Amino acid sequence: MIYKLMNINSLDEELIKNYFPMLTEARQKKIASMKNTEERSVAFCAEIIARQCLSKFCDAPEFSFSLLCNPNSRSVVGNFNVEICIVRYNEFVACAVSDNFVGISIVPVQSFSFKDAQKLLSDSEIRSVFSESVYSFAELVNFTECKEENVKQKFAIFNSLKEAHYYSTGRGVRSEINKIIFEINNNGIICSDENAKVSVSHINNDFLLAVSVVERKKNE
């Protein structure tokens, strides 16, 4: 598995000159016709980061790949037997490539409410998140926002794990995202989906993002 993050603000003339000719004529026209500058940058960065990851994973030149890049939706490599996932959050784009079904997620580390946690997490996950707090459970329930850094990071990790699993399934029913339960312990991270494996889960301190990658086995 290979994954990478990219900030669209790092896009410069040199990158454009290097990668734009690798795109099909139709893709070049589509990106060039986008009126929103930010969306145009996201679309182009998705192409760049996908080709970089694929080149490293497949040991093939970056221009080799026939791509359908759809951040936060279904992305496909048409001419190689590999799986790819591309996501976007604000100015960040992330990509993961694997032989298995794969999902990647980037989630901001930010304040949240107890109700937010209840909507997304199981009871055991909530206990895990708030075990990082210096406050009692009764106090936490009444807080408008949870602002402790360790608590925010733990919540973001669980959030990113749920999202990464969702993307690894091929975008199933989003309302069922909280039915998958993760357990974080000293031995790693365990997912209630026995076909899933957490390959990456950490806080990127440079960008204040929780980054997770989940791979799922293909049926033999």
Side-chain angles (χ1 to χ4, degrees):
M1 189 278 296
I2 297 289
Y3 79 101
K4 188 173 183 178
L5 274 68
M6 183 176 184
N7 190 319
I8 65 172
N9 296 319
S10 67
L11 187 62
D12 57 24
E13 292 297 327
E14 184 176 348
L15 283 172
I16 294 172
K17 182 179 179 180
N18 187 32
Y19 284 94
F20 198 70
M22 298 183 193
L23 279 59
T24 64
E25 184 176 348
R27 187 61 174 162
Q28 289 178 357
K29 288 181 178 179
K30 184 173 181 178
I31 291 177
S33 67
M34 292 179 177
K35 296 181 180 180
N36 185 292
T37 302
E38 183 176 293
E39 293 302 319
R40 187 165 62 243
S41 296
V42 168
F44 192 50
C45 286
E47 292 276 352
I48 293 173
I49 199 172
R51 291 178 185 279
Q52 289 176 344
C53 288
L54 286 163
S55 178
K56 188 173 182 180
F57 187 81
C58 301
D59 192 24
E62 292 178 342
F63 61 78
S64 305
F65 305 99
S66 175
L67 288 172
L68 176 62
C69 293
N70 287 316
N72 298 341
S73 186
R74 180 69 172 167
S75 296
V76 177
V77 186
N79 57 341
F80 281 76
N81 187 26
V82 293
E83 301 295 329
I84 187 170
C85 180
I86 304 169
V87 296
R88 177 264 176 109
Y89 171 75
N90 285 350
E91 70 268 32
F92 299 100
V93 179
C95 175
V97 175
S98 175
D99 287 326
N100 298 310
F101 297 123
V102 65
I104 186 170
S105 177
I106 45 178
V107 172
V109 176
Q110 59 187 12
S111 300
F112 65 97
S113 68
F114 187 81
K115 288 184 178 180
D116 293 331
Q118 285 182 307
K119 289 177 183 177
L120 182 68
L121 306 183
S122 68
D123 289 346
S124 62
E125 290 167 335
I126 290 174
R127 287 194 296 270
S128 179
V129 167
F130 291 114
S131 69
E132 305 289 336
S133 177
V134 299
Y135 297 100
S136 70
F137 200 74
E139 290 174 309
L140 290 164
V141 170
N142 293 314
F143 283 167
T144 303
E145 286 188 317
C146 300
K147 299 181 178 180
E148 295 171 280
E149 195 60 32
N150 287 349
V151 178
K152 291 192 300 182
Q153 289 189 10
K154 195 76 166 285
F155 179 71
I157 285 290
F158 275 117
N159 196 344
S160 68
L161 287 167
K162 302 265 186 174
E163 289 282 339
H165 182 273
Y166 168 76
Y167 285 122
S168 76
T169 64
R171 275 58 75 188
V173 181
R174 182 171 281 277
S175 62
E176 297 183 355
I177 196 170
N178 59 350
K179 292 185 179 180
I180 299 299
I181 299 173
F182 291 89
E183 178 187 349
I184 301 175
N185 56 45
N186 293 333
N187 296 320
I189 304 175
I190 301 171
C191 180
S192 60
D193 178 357
E194 62 182 15
N195 292 316
K197 176 185 73 171
V198 177
S199 301
V200 173
S201 190
H202 68 93
I203 299 294
N204 184 308
N205 290 315
D206 293 333
F207 300 143
L208 290 180
L209 294 172
V211 182
S212 292
V213 178
V214 172
E215 297 179 82
R216 297 182 74 252
K217 298 176 184 177
K218 292 184 174 181
N219 294 327
E220 298 296 336

